[in-house]
Amino acid sequence: MKVQGITVLGSTGSIGQSTLDVVRRHPDRYRVVALTAYSQVDRLVADCLEFLPLLAVVGDEASAAKVLARLRDSGARTEVLWGEQALVQAATHPDADMVMAAIVGAAGLAPTLAAAHSGKRVLLANKEVLVMAGELFMHAVREHGASLLPVDSEHNAIFQSLPSDFARGLTQCGVQKILLTASGGPFRNTPLADLANVTPEQACAHPNWVMGRKISVDSATMMNKGLEVIEARWLFDAPPEMIQVVVHPQSVIHSAVQYVDGSVLAQMGNPDMRTPIAYAMAWPERVAAGVEPLDLFKIARLDFMAPDFERFRCLRLAYDVLYEGGTAPAILNAANEVAVAAFLDGSLPFLGIARLVEAVLHALPAGPEGSLEDVLAADSKARQLAHKLIRDHHFA
Ligand code: NAD
Ligand code: MG
């Protein structure tokens, strides 16, 4: 078997590090071609010294100089670049067969789209790409013969539970519903009155998963599940009515597919992202991922309940923008990114996140998704308005 070259976009993050752990276990199968980070110079240098990529990318010139000096001191010959265009170079590197898209947020859109345009196998963790530009991205994948493997654990589970020819249409394949599971996050049972005073540390303490801070806050508001509904719509060409969110606090069933004959096929496992990452990397084969086997006796029981749209307004807003279509999901995503960052730096209360996103959606009319420029313009307008509303203390 030919060794597969892999670029890891966002290699210093939670998904990036889990990806490198899978690579480390299979040096005979994978070779790292490029790694990209934003500001975590120490982590990037350590990973460059271990995996010896051809290219390393960071966010700014000063970080690039630091990385370069330390690599040259250690005798490593990795090329070091910085900035957005360099991310695209990493994503389209001729030696990369596959690209792990694990940058968080809108910053990952351009390089992930570029990977699709150059026909790579795209391992997609960066769900914001599909939320912002689902139609454009799926079109690029089809037009340029790229393959798309979902890394988000729910979508990876759905992918595993669908027939391999699902692209001919879910209904044609006998699918009735996609059952998208959700843990409900750390505040599933918190009294509503207490949510007003939630701190970033509490919001980032997810009961089952260890993740980056943005997705942890998204899980606490359940915006993450909303983004995942939109992600599922595009990945599987599923109408919103077909996507049912199921709250399942143990995070053992990672999602399921319900068929017309009464069957429900689910994928189960311990909550460890190395399982979906290894699946996406090795598909259609399977490789060891370093994950503990699932012990059903230890788990003993699994619970399921309907989502509470009153408590988790962000989930409702995500369904709303999905029905609205066009640039509405991009507006929601941009407002949410600004809101989460403001919550994390203490300038917005927890409940302000949903209120801010809703206010931005009300103020800005959605247009057609059209081109990448349309999407980026909607994103930028939404960010400006969200920042202004925070500055003016609308949600303090
Ligand atoms: P993280 O915060 O741990 O890592 C983010 C990575 O993106 C880092 O390497 C960082 O350097 C890079 N980055 C951040 N801003 C950047 C910018 N402006 N330009 C270039 N690079 C930038 O995040 P994570 O938890 O690894 O999540 C990554 C993506 O995967 C997100 O879209 C998230 O929704 C998705 N995801 C994560 C998990 C998980 O378990 N962590 C599960 C499913 C999906
Ligand atoms: Mg998920």
Side-chain angles (χ1 to χ4, degrees), residues 7-343:
T7 282
V8 185
L9 301 173
S11 66
T12 52
S14 164
I15 294 288
Q17 291 293 298
S18 293
T19 304
L20 290 180
D21 189 68
V22 176
V23 170
R24 186 180 287 126
R25 288 164 197 277
H26 302 283
D28 51 324
R29 296 182 73 109
Y30 307 109
R31 158 155 181 36
V32 176
V33 171
L35 296 177
T36 87
Y38 194 56
S39 55
Q40 280 182 271
V41 166
D42 292 343
R43 184 71 263 158
L44 182 69
V45 168
D47 291 337
C48 285
L49 293 177
E50 179 180 355
F51 293 99
L52 302 173
L54 300 171
L55 173 63
V57 176
V58 286
D60 58 52
E61 195 170 5
S63 307
K66 272 190 220 157
V67 171
L68 187 67
R70 286 174 52 188
L71 290 182
R72 292 298 178 269
D73 282 350
S74 313
R77 305 179 54 166
T78 302
E79 183 183 5
V80 182
L81 299 174
W82 61 275
E84 286 170 22
Q85 195 46 43
L87 288 176
V88 170
Q89 260 176 268
T92 58
H93 198 290
D95 289 6
D97 301 286
M98 54 177 90
V99 175
M100 167 57 77
I103 290 175
V104 59
L109 176 59
T112 308
L113 199 54
H117 275 277
S118 54
K120 307 288 188 198
R121 177 197 282 222
V122 181
L123 319 176
L124 187 71
N126 188 184
K127 64 192 87 186
E128 294 90 347
V129 168
L130 281 176
V131 174
M132 293 178 73
E135 196 171 343
L136 285 167
F137 184 73
M138 296 307 288
H139 182 76
V141 167
R142 282 191 302 272
E143 283 294 292
H144 300 279
S147 43
L148 180 56
L149 275 299
V151 170
D152 210 347
S153 57
E154 296 77 4
H155 305 75
N156 189 271
I158 294 160
F159 186 85
Q160 294 197 43
S161 306
L162 283 171
S164 55
D165 62 346
F166 72 84
R168 70 192 167 93
L170 293 186
T171 311
Q172 282 78 351
C173 296
V175 173
Q176 256 178 353
K177 265 204 163 117
I178 285 176
L179 305 174
L180 186 70
T181 53
S183 70
F187 307 134
R188 188 170 53 86
N189 292 320
T190 307
L192 283 178
D194 295 353
L195 288 182
N197 302 315
V198 158
T199 65
E201 280 56 47
Q202 291 168 320
C204 288
H206 195 278
N208 306 335
W209 298 94
V210 182
M211 309 180 285
R213 281 166 78 77
K214 193 261 178 182
I215 183 176
S216 296
V217 175
D218 284 348
S219 300
T221 60
M222 282 193 83
M223 178 60 94
N224 182 52
K225 209 48 56 181
L227 302 180
E228 291 185 356
V229 170
I230 302 172
E231 185 183 10
R233 182 261 170 272
W234 291 111
L235 282 173
F236 308 115
D237 196 17
E241 314 76 67
M242 224 191 218
I243 307 168
Q244 169 72 58
V245 173
V246 178
V247 176
H248 164 45
Q250 291 92 353
S251 300
V252 167
I253 293 187
H254 296 306
S255 277
V257 177
Q258 176 184 315
Y259 290 88
V260 278
D261 62 1
S263 301
V264 173
L265 301 188
Q267 185 259 352
M268 299 165 72
N270 284 317
D272 186 322
M273 287 306 294
R274 290 175 301 176
T275 297
I277 290 168
Y279 183 85
M281 284 170 66
W283 177 86
E285 294 172 28
R286 288 189 188 259
V287 294
V291 177
E292 282 288 298
L294 185 65
D295 184 342
L296 285 175
F297 298 118
K298 209 158 101 193
I299 290 158
R301 61 177 279 182
L302 299 176
D303 297 300
F304 306 97
M305 54 216 82
D308 178 347
F309 285 97
E310 291 300 314
R311 174 182 289 262
F312 296 111
R313 282 169 62 198
C314 288
L315 183 56
R316 164 66 60 213
L317 293 174
Y319 270 100
D320 290 347
V321 298
L322 186 49
Y323 280 107
E324 192 175 350
T327 54
I331 294 170
L332 166 116
N333 179 68
N336 182 59
E337 285 191 29
V338 172
V340 170
F343 168 66

Side-chain angles (χ1 to χ4, degrees), residues 346-360:
S347 48
L348 189 70
F350 182 72
L351 293 174
I353 297 174
R355 286 161 55 207
L356 178 64
V357 173
E358 192 161 12
V360 172

